[in-house]
Amino acid sequence: GTFPAEVVKALSSIRAAFIRTNDELDKCTLAPEFITNEIDEICTTWDECVPTIPLLPKDPNKLRTAVFSSMASSHHTAGTCKAGTVVEKGTLAVKGVKGLYISDLSVVSQPVDMHPMMTAMTLGLLLGDSIESIPIDTYEPFPVVFSFICLLITFTLISSWIISKCCRSKKETEFKGREQSTKISMIWNRETIHLP
């Protein structure tokens, strides 16, 4: 059968959004399958295609063409701070900046043959083990002192909030107890004092 009106409307609005986005892009464009209207005119029933973005035909030859034209390889960007140009080759220290090291995939000059996660982790571990500890005379106490002050303020605020909640609930309990005893005494007084 033909596609329901809701499906056609949704597909049309998504296609229009793709076309608007493509028009706004400066340096790159979307694949033609996402922005052309030719498939909309050809494919209108479940027998011809599946309502996806882009529309996938059911004919095996057309499906192969559609899949291979939109198929892409994902990659992990590397080499933006190549060792030797931005960082020192042996130490991965940023040139011209004392005490700053880079240990991610941006220092790798060529793509790795496997998933880059292990490479990145290995870089970090090797760099961490090779860097000497910070000398005491160049140690800056301000960040540590500031962190402790922030922790102390946070602890004080949370403690005072908890104490105020506990005191408020205790006062409410005492008030409810006094209110109930007042009601009981009023009932007792009304029953013992016979008013005409």
Side-chain angles (χ1 to χ4, degrees):
T2 59
F3 296 145
E6 297 87 16
V7 172
V8 172
K9 184 177 178 182
L11 288 172
S12 298
S13 65
I14 293 170
R15 175 82 41 143
F18 275 124
I19 291 171
R20 279 192 312 272
T21 302
N22 190 61
D23 292 341
E24 293 172 5
L25 293 173
D26 289 336
K27 298 186 179 186
C28 59
T29 59
L30 295 172
E33 295 82 22
F34 291 97
I35 56 175
T36 59
N37 289 320
E38 295 172 11
I39 299 175
D40 289 337
E41 297 168 4
I42 297 169
C43 179
T44 56
T45 66
W46 287 99
D47 299 329
E48 295 173 357
C49 69
V50 179
T52 58
I53 301 291
L55 294 170
L56 296 176
K58 286 198 172 181
D59 178 71
N61 293 328
K62 289 180 180 178
L63 179 62
R64 178 175 290 126
T65 304
V67 168
F68 282 117
S69 67
S70 62
M71 187 185 255
S73 171
S74 66
H75 66 281
H76 299 272
T77 304
T80 56
C81 295
K82 291 180 186 175
T85 57
V86 178
V87 296
E88 300 291 334
K89 274 194 176 183
T91 62
L92 299 181
V94 177
K95 291 182 177 181
V97 181
K98 184 181 176 186
L100 179 61
Y101 299 86
I102 296 179
S103 67
D104 61 11
L105 292 176
S106 63
V107 299
V108 178
S109 58
Q110 294 183 359
V112 293
D113 291 336
M114 60 181 184
H115 194 279
M117 177 184 70
M118 294 303 292
T119 306
M121 290 171 61
T122 305
L123 273 171
L125 286 171
L126 290 174
L127 183 63
D129 288 342
S130 67
I131 296 175
E132 296 177 19
S133 62
I134 300 172
I136 298 298
D137 58 339
T138 60
Y139 175 73
E140 292 185 36
F142 176 74
V144 176
V145 172
F146 184 71
S147 299
F148 280 123
I149 290 171
C150 289
L151 283 173
L152 183 64
I153 290 170
T154 304
F155 178 75
T156 305
L157 290 172
I158 291 174
S159 299
S160 62
W161 179 76
I162 291 172
I163 291 169
S164 69
K165 282 287 198 185
C166 291
C167 290
R168 188 179 305 146
S169 65
K170 185 177 178 183
K171 287 178 182 177
E172 287 174 0
T173 306
E174 289 174 1
F175 178 73
K176 286 180 183 177
R178 273 189 255 132
E179 186 180 82
Q180 193 169 6
S181 66
T182 306
K183 284 181 182 177
I184 291 172
S185 65
M186 288 173 66
I187 293 171
W188 183 78
N189 286 339
R190 200 173 3 175
E191 290 176 356
T192 56
I193 300 172
H194 300 287
L195 297 172

